[in-house]
Amino acid sequence: MMIGYRQSYLGPLRGIIFDWAGTLVDFGCFAPAAVFVEVFRRHGVEITMAEARGPMGTHKRDHIAAIGQMPTVADAWRRRHNHPFGPGDVDRLFAEFAPRQVAVLDRYATLIPGVAEVLASLRVRGLRIGTCSGYTRAMVDVVEAAAKRQGFTPDCSVAADEVRHGRPLPGMCLKVALELGLAPLLACVKVDDTPPGIAEGLNAGMWTVGLSLSGNEAALTLAELAALDPEARAATRARAETRLAGAGAHYVIDSVADLLPCLDLIEARLARGETP
């Protein structure tokens, strides 16, 4: 006998889970990219900013491993060190990366424009606010302390080294949901600027919102973005939207400043019985 079950939920959203860099803080997501370039350079291998940014959103150890497997980087490493880039190299580079990342994070922890106002509105709506990140706990602690000085403390935060498997698997999102008592999961929204972060939310059974201009996909400072002419800005947005929508994002917006109308649309869909 075949037995089927379909969850039905017609209520409001219950929680929002945000990424940190490129989402809530660090417009353009510059803090990790610069340190990846520095660490590889210290070992005699030059990588581009595009290569450094490629795996953004994942646990930083996994990020280093992914950079080292890129064909141009792997070839340069083999020529420089006379052996393929391997697990021992990942361990050494991550051991150098981690303290250097912690040391610079405070410089890149300014809340992105519009974030404070949106977070305040979410509180008024009674939504729980969680965060997760490709950063380790030591790194997240620095960012959270800076955010607290600017008036924001999440209800729960989870770091990449606090779950067994990082993005794109859903462990961090699920841990936040468990800690905050968020159920059903389809009453939650994951907001992120990277494809792995979008995949994480989808794998957790949540709605997902991608950010096209504030984070890693555009990779621009506020000043650089403001200096673009309308055509260049539209092209930058389109490239980012293609990547994030291709990762499965239900909605793609410029930044968290534009989030509230998306939440209204999602709640309307929930009221119609739709699911992520």
Side-chain angles (χ1 to χ4, degrees):
M1 180 175 66
M2 295 289 292
I3 298 176
Y5 170 75
R6 180 181 177 186
Q7 184 180 39
S8 179
Y9 178 78
L10 306 178
L13 288 170
R14 300 199 59 209
I16 315 295
I17 301 175
F18 293 97
D19 175 53
W20 278 105
T23 298
L24 295 178
V25 301
D26 187 8
F27 196 101
C29 197
F30 282 89
V35 182
F36 287 128
V37 171
E38 176 193 351
V39 169
F40 273 88
R41 180 180 295 134
R42 287 172 59 86
H43 286 263
V45 174
E46 295 289 336
I47 66 171
T48 66
M49 285 296 286
E51 289 167 336
R53 288 179 175 278
M56 199 68 78
T58 58
H59 187 305
K60 298 314 172 197
R61 189 187 185 284
D62 296 338
H63 192 134
I64 289 170
I67 292 174
Q69 295 305 314
M70 294 176 179
T72 55
V73 179
D75 182 61
W77 188 275
R78 188 181 297 106
R79 286 188 281 106
R80 178 67 176 80
H81 296 280
N82 298 314
H83 67 80
F85 188 80
D89 300 308
V90 175
D91 290 340
R92 282 189 291 276
L93 266 65
F94 182 69
E96 294 179 21
F97 171 86
R100 286 176 170 80
Q101 183 69 99
V102 169
V104 302
L105 278 172
D106 193 62
R107 303 180 214 163
Y108 295 90
T110 301
L111 291 180
I112 287 169
V115 162
E117 294 79 4
V118 167
L119 292 172
S121 294
L122 299 182
R123 296 292 193 201
V124 170
R125 292 170 73 148
L127 291 164
R128 306 303 301 278
I129 300 174
T131 62
C132 61
S133 176
Y135 286 151
T136 64
R137 172 46 59 187
M139 299 170 195
V140 170
D141 284 345
V142 176
V143 177
E144 281 194 29
K148 184 176 182 179
R149 293 193 296 271
Q150 299 169 75
F152 170 61
T153 299
D155 297 316
C156 175
S157 77
V158 176
D161 58 347
E162 294 177 324
V163 294
R164 185 169 182 179
H165 300 291
R167 296 168 179 160
L169 294 181
M172 288 192 290
C173 279
L174 296 179
K175 187 174 176 67
V176 170
L178 284 171
E179 290 293 325
L180 296 181
L182 298 176
L185 294 173
L186 56 83
C188 301
V189 179
K190 173 66 195 305
V191 183
D192 207 290
D193 66 302
T194 67
I198 295 299
E200 172 191 32
L202 294 172
N203 287 332
M206 300 176 178
W207 300 92
T208 57
V209 177
L211 307 176
S212 61
L213 294 184
S214 70
N216 189 65
E217 292 304 315
L220 298 170
T221 66
L222 266 171
E224 289 169 339
L225 182 63
L228 295 181
D229 61 44
E231 184 176 347
R233 186 185 183 99
T236 298
R237 179 187 289 112
R239 286 192 298 270
E241 286 178 344
T242 296
R243 285 263 297 160
L244 294 164
H250 295 95
Y251 299 92
V252 181
I253 56 179
D254 288 356
S255 76
V256 168
D258 307 304
L259 180 62
L260 297 181
C262 271
L263 302 187
D264 294 336
L265 291 172
I266 292 170
E267 287 201 322
R269 294 177 69 175
L270 285 171
R272 295 193 296 267
E274 295 185 39
T275 60

